[in-house]
């Protein structure tokens, strides 16, 4: 058998996302037939003891405690950015200038201006780049894309999506620090808009095209929290919840909601698309199913189908088990790595690229701006 070409990974940051990405690199060649094989060269974080423990657990060959050293190493081809959002720009630009490929956690940046600089840097350097909007690669979501591309829905009227969580209702949850940086605007840029709604928007743009305008309201329900690092009470400046109306370029209407205050919901991402001929619905808690209603079905049999997306002719599924056996959350990251490696073989960009994700960033910025002054924003 021909030896695989190595893709030597240097991962910066190693939290929850570091685990999903590391797992993906480790698993991908077991299931997908690819020319390239990721090699876990180095993982980097400030605390040497903790990052060593992570390296031992996941099989990284070495550790670094300064991200600049990872970028400077000539035994590394690709930089994986898993840090809080406020470091994405600096690391991505330095990595691009060093000629490294980049796989960046979502959202792309703290804001559009930063994202623009990152796009310019990767495009100038000509390096492969992608952003980990993983839900595109749930097989049922990829199948929704295929059905829309086949024109089965006809003209689309409505796109509605929600991403609901409940983990910050308790006012004693701190902000800042390694575990709760998502609640600290200095590290995250925004709250649910960049963290959760961004997923809804990435999928929406992918499935239904450009969003032209939005009108939004946001709320911060808990006004003060203790900072995990300083122990001081500070005003909370992230958005805890966002409700958004919008218009797509294709004439359809958008409705989005995301919150961390929906008691009972841990990570309920859902969307529904209503077209002239058919509708599609999907739910992360039942992620292997795609709901499909076709008005053209024979009258008495017309109704919602619940398709178990687990057969060999469903997206990605022939690489997994046998028909009827489903896969889960971690596989979406494996699919993204598989696509990235496959695209390296042909020099094709792997969506969402930085440039694709800049569009999501623009919508997020427009939502926050609209919530601030109460007016519609054009994107
Ligand atoms: C937040 O809790 C979070 O982990 C997001 O950061 C992820 O992007 C989302 O997929 C699940 O929820």
């Amino acid at each position: 058998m021909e030896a695989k070409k190595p893709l030597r990974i240097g991962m910066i940051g190693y939290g929850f996302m570091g685990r999903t990405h590391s797992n993906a690199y480790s698993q991908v060649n077991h299931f997908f037939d690819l020319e390239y094989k990721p090699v876990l060269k180095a993982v980097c974080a400030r605390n040497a003891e903790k990052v060593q423990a992570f390296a031992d657990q996941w099989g990284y060959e070495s550790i670094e405690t300064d991200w600049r050293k990872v970028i400077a190493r000539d035994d590394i081809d690709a930089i994986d950015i898993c840090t809080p959002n406020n470091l994405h720009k600096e690391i991505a630009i330095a990595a691009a200038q060093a000629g490294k490929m980049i796989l960046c956690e979502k959202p792309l940046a703290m804001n559009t201006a930063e994202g623009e600089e990152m796009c310019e840097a990767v495009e100038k350097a000509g390096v492969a780049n992608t952003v980990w909007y993983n839900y595109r690669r749930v097989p049922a979501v990829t199948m929704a894309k295929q059905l829309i591309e086949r024109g089965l829905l006809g003209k689309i009227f409505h796109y509605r999506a929600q991403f609901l969580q409940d983990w910050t209702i308790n006012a004693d949850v701190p902000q800042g620090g390694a575990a709760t940086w998502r609640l600290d605007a200095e590290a995250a840029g925004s709250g649910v808009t960049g963290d959760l709604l961004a997923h809804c928007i990435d999928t929406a743009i992918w499935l239904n095209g450009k969003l032209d305008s939005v009108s939004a309201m946001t709320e911060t329900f808990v006004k003060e929290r203790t900072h995990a690092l300083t122990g001081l009470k500070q005003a909370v400046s992230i958005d805890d919840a966002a409700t958004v109306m919008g218009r797509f370029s294709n004439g359809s209407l958008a409705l989005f909601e995301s919150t961390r205050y929906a008691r009972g919901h841990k990570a309920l991402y859902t969307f529904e698309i209503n077209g002239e001929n058919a509708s599609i619905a999907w739910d992360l808690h039942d992620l292997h199913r795609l709901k499909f209603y076709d008005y053209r079905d024979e009258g008495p049999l017309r109704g919602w189908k619940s398709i178990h997306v687990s057969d060999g002719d469903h997206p990605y599924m022939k690489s997994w088990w046998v028909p009827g056996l489903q896969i889960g959350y971690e596989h979406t990251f494996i699919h993204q790595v598989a696509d990235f490696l496959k695209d390296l073989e042909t020099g094709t960009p792997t969506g969402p690229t930085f440039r694709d994700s800049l569009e999501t960033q623009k919508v997020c910025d427009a939502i926050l701006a609209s919530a601030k002054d109460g007016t519609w924003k054009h994107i």
Side-chain angles (χ1 to χ4, degrees):
M1 215 169 60
E2 237 179 87
K4 303 271 181 205
K5 296 181 193 160
L7 183 78
R8 300 165 300 174
I9 307 285
M11 194 171 77
I12 302 172
Y14 67 108
F16 161 37
M17 283 303 129
R19 292 164 61 221
T20 61
H21 300 183
S22 302
N23 179 59
Y25 297 131
S26 308
Q27 297 290 340
V28 69
N29 294 94
H30 294 144
F31 294 94
F32 291 83
D33 190 16
L34 300 158
E35 283 175 20
Y36 284 88
K37 181 176 166 52
V39 178
L40 301 180
K41 271 287 165 192
V43 55
C44 173
R46 275 172 301 187
N47 183 315
E49 207 179 311
K50 287 189 181 161
V51 77
Q52 186 61 61
F54 185 92
D56 293 344
Q57 173 131 14
W58 288 95
Y60 281 84
E61 289 176 18
S62 63
I63 64 157
E64 295 287 355
T65 53
D66 175 354
W67 61 261
R68 287 179 183 81
K69 290 206 175 134
V70 186
I71 289 175
R73 277 174 59 164
D74 51 17
D75 63 344
I76 285 175
D77 306 307
I79 298 294
D80 187 329
I81 306 175
C82 290
T83 62
N85 307 339
N86 59 344
L87 287 173
H88 287 192
K89 182 187 104 172
E90 206 183 343
I91 297 175
I93 292 176
Q97 285 170 350
K100 310 289 187 196
M101 303 176 207
I102 308 171
L103 301 100
C104 183
E105 231 330 292
K106 47 63 57 177
L108 176 64
M110 298 281 275
N111 53 49
T112 303
E114 281 197 356
E116 191 72 66
E117 281 186 62
M118 293 164 75
C119 289
E120 280 164 20
V122 292
E123 286 161 8
K124 184 166 175 221
V127 293
N129 59 90
T130 193
V131 179
W132 295 90
Y133 278 110
N134 60 302
Y135 297 112
R136 287 184 177 204
R137 289 177 167 90
V138 174
V141 176
T142 311
M143 182 163 156
K145 169 88 172 156
Q146 293 174 349
L147 300 184
I148 293 167
E149 279 179 349
R150 282 173 57 193
L152 293 188
L153 272 67
K155 182 171 170 48
I156 293 177
F157 300 125
H158 293 286
Y159 190 107
R160 67 184 77 77
Q162 292 182 314
F163 204 137
L164 311 178
Q165 297 188 332
D166 71 354
W167 61 282
T168 63
I169 295 178
N170 187 336
D172 292 337
V173 174
Q175 60 179 326
T180 45
W181 64 265
R182 284 179 175 78
L183 274 62
D184 179 3
E186 301 269 302
S190 68
V192 292
T193 298
D195 191 36
L196 303 180
L197 207 63
H199 279 300
C200 301
I201 293 164
D202 173 72
T203 318
I205 294 174
W206 190 53
L207 296 180
N208 196 36
K210 191 179 176 321
L211 263 158
D212 279 346
S213 56
V214 289
S215 169
M217 57 181 179
T218 60
E219 184 53 74
T220 304
F221 294 115
V222 172
K223 309 286 184 205
E224 276 197 329
R225 291 186 189 273
T226 303
H227 197 282
L229 301 180
T230 62
L232 298 174
K233 275 244 182 234
Q234 286 179 351
V236 174
S237 49
I238 55 152
D239 43 304
D240 285 338
T243 307
V244 183
M245 294 190 296
R247 285 182 187 278
F248 287 91
S249 296
N250 66 5
S252 59
L253 303 185
L255 201 53
F256 297 109
E257 182 189 14
S258 68
T259 177
R260 295 179 179 138
Y261 286 72
R263 182 62 89 200
H265 293 302
K266 306 299 168 191
L268 184 64
Y269 176 16
T270 56
F271 65 74
E272 182 168 313
I273 312 168
N274 307 125
E276 168 187 20
N277 299 319
S279 290
I280 279 176
W282 176 79
D283 170 350
L284 176 57
H285 284 190
D286 215 2
L287 88 177
H288 48 280
R289 288 196 174 272
L290 188 67
K291 309 261 173 54
F292 186 66
Y293 176 97
D294 197 332
Y295 175 72
R296 293 156 300 193
D297 284 348
E298 189 195 331
L301 291 177
R302 203 180 285 143
W304 280 92
K305 277 183 202 156
S306 175
I307 304 164
H308 196 257
V309 184
S310 61
D311 219 327
D313 53 3
H314 288 138
Y316 299 106
M317 291 310 297
K318 73 170 182 321
S319 298
W320 293 100
W321 313 114
V322 294
L325 301 186
Q326 67 216 36
I327 58 168
Y329 171 73
E330 67 272 34
H331 302 85
T332 61
F333 296 90
I334 301 173
H335 296 161
Q336 184 145 359
V337 177
D339 288 344
F340 187 80
L341 297 178
K342 190 93 213 145
D343 289 340
L344 281 184
E345 292 173 14
T346 53
T348 312
T350 308
T353 60
F354 279 24
R355 186 58 69 184
D356 299 330
S357 301
L358 185 64
E359 201 53 37
T360 297
Q361 196 77 52
K362 286 180 190 168
V363 176
C364 288
D365 282 9
I367 287 168
L368 295 169
S370 168
K372 214 173 211 172
D373 69 12
T375 65
W376 277 84
K377 299 290 172 200
H378 292 275
I379 297 142

